[in-house]
Amino acid sequence: MMVKKILEAIYEVDFLDFSYGFRPNKSCQGALDRLDKMIAGNKVNYIIDADIKGFFDNVNHNWMVKCLEQRVSDKSLIRLIVRILKGGVMEEGNFSQSEKGTPQGGILSPLLANIYLHYVLDLWLEKVVKKNCKGFVGIVRYADDFVICVQSEIDAKRILSALRKRMCRFGLELAEEKTKIIGFGRKVSKDDDETFNFLGFTHFNDKTRRGNYKVGRKTEKKRFTKALKEMNSWLRSVRNAVKVSEWWSTLKAKLRGYYAYYGVSGNMRWLNKYKRLVEKQVFKWLNRMRQKRQYSWNWFIEYRDRFPLPKPKIYCNLYYSYSY
């Protein structure tokens, strides 16, 4: 933690505005808002949807040291960080040395990832790539998850080709099956079914009620399914362990947490769908608790109304500053 605080004090003044992951006063919603305004407010026609294959497991230690040496002159601190990186892991009682990557779950890992990509990706795109492109180029990054917005198709293809080489030079690799260039933006037809995923949301081209362009978004299908499975597993685990009155408050807290993250503009339909399906799960497990006495759906509605669950809510309005 102390090393993290020292590095944060050094690098927070260097990190660029479009970097959002694991930084003070930065959030996923902030990254989504920036991406929304970037696409809707600029001449964006293409999206480079790239994915770094096993980023945290493949950070090159030698390059990591070189990145740190750009701003850290204390050799003792760098040696300590190297020891943390090479700390190794214990699996089934067997110790294995770490030759690359950052410690899984380590408190320092997200910050080291930001430092690594600050030099490998952020500065390269800002100082090299943009100068060699004719049209608009912008990026939003959250840790190792990033989206590049481009005006020209030629520029998009050149950037992706250069990005592959850039990653390879620093010991990284793009997951080709998850990396693509798609047509996206106000000049692309709403009927175009090309979409991309970013921070748990599927983004698509959409229109406002007045017929103007806007970026649509909904909960990513995999995230939606995973959240339902996790809720179902939790309900199954607590149904006979504690009384309903005890786990009901926890259920409410879980719903509020889900709404707080996924409650962004345009996603109300999927928030309501999640609430409906969770209520069906709750009803099912309440009946499993009472095998001799089966509750009716009407009884459950009355119980839910007496002890109401949180209602879906939009916590982050991304459309408030639209003027078209």
Side-chain angles (χ1 to χ4, degrees), residues 179-315:
T179 300
K180 58 185 177 179
I181 297 174
I182 65 171
F184 201 95
R186 70 173 58 249
K187 287 189 177 181
V188 179
S189 171
K190 178 185 174 182
D191 298 328
D192 196 314
D193 60 354
E194 288 199 286
T195 64
F196 68 93
N197 296 324
F198 184 62
L199 297 181
F201 293 88
T202 297
H203 295 71
F204 55 92
N205 293 302
D206 201 3
K207 296 285 186 180
T208 65
R209 292 179 181 178
R210 295 182 178 181
N212 296 319
Y213 176 81
K214 72 173 182 178
V215 179
R217 66 189 59 76
K218 61 183 179 180
T219 307
E220 186 181 340
K221 187 176 180 180
K222 288 183 179 179
R223 294 282 192 97
F224 186 82
T225 303
K226 181 181 178 182
L228 285 175
K229 287 182 178 179
E230 289 176 349
M231 179 65 79
N232 190 59
S233 297
W234 176 77
L235 288 168
R236 181 173 55 190
S237 68
V238 300
R239 73 185 192 277
N240 292 320
V242 293
K243 295 180 180 179
V244 176
S245 58
E246 295 180 29
W247 60 256
W248 197 261
S249 59
T250 305
L251 172 63
K252 292 165 69 174
K254 286 179 176 289
L255 287 172
R256 282 193 295 267
Y258 184 89
Y259 301 152
Y261 184 85
Y262 290 102
V264 301
S265 302
N267 199 37
M268 181 57 81
R269 176 188 170 190
W270 287 86
L271 293 180
N272 286 323
K273 184 177 181 179
Y274 180 78
K275 183 175 184 290
R276 289 196 304 270
L277 293 176
V278 167
E279 286 179 347
K280 289 182 179 180
Q281 290 179 347
V282 173
F283 175 67
K284 178 186 74 173
W285 289 114
L286 281 173
N287 274 318
R288 294 285 180 91
M289 292 173 62
R290 303 279 184 175
Q291 294 181 357
K292 294 182 180 180
R293 177 185 175 185
Q294 295 294 308
Y295 294 121
S296 68
W297 180 252
N298 288 333
W299 173 90
F300 174 72
I301 296 299
E302 290 178 4
Y303 185 87
R304 184 200 62 185
D305 292 342
R306 214 171 348 136
F307 305 99
L309 295 171
K311 294 182 179 180
K313 175 183 175 182
I314 298 299
Y315 285 84

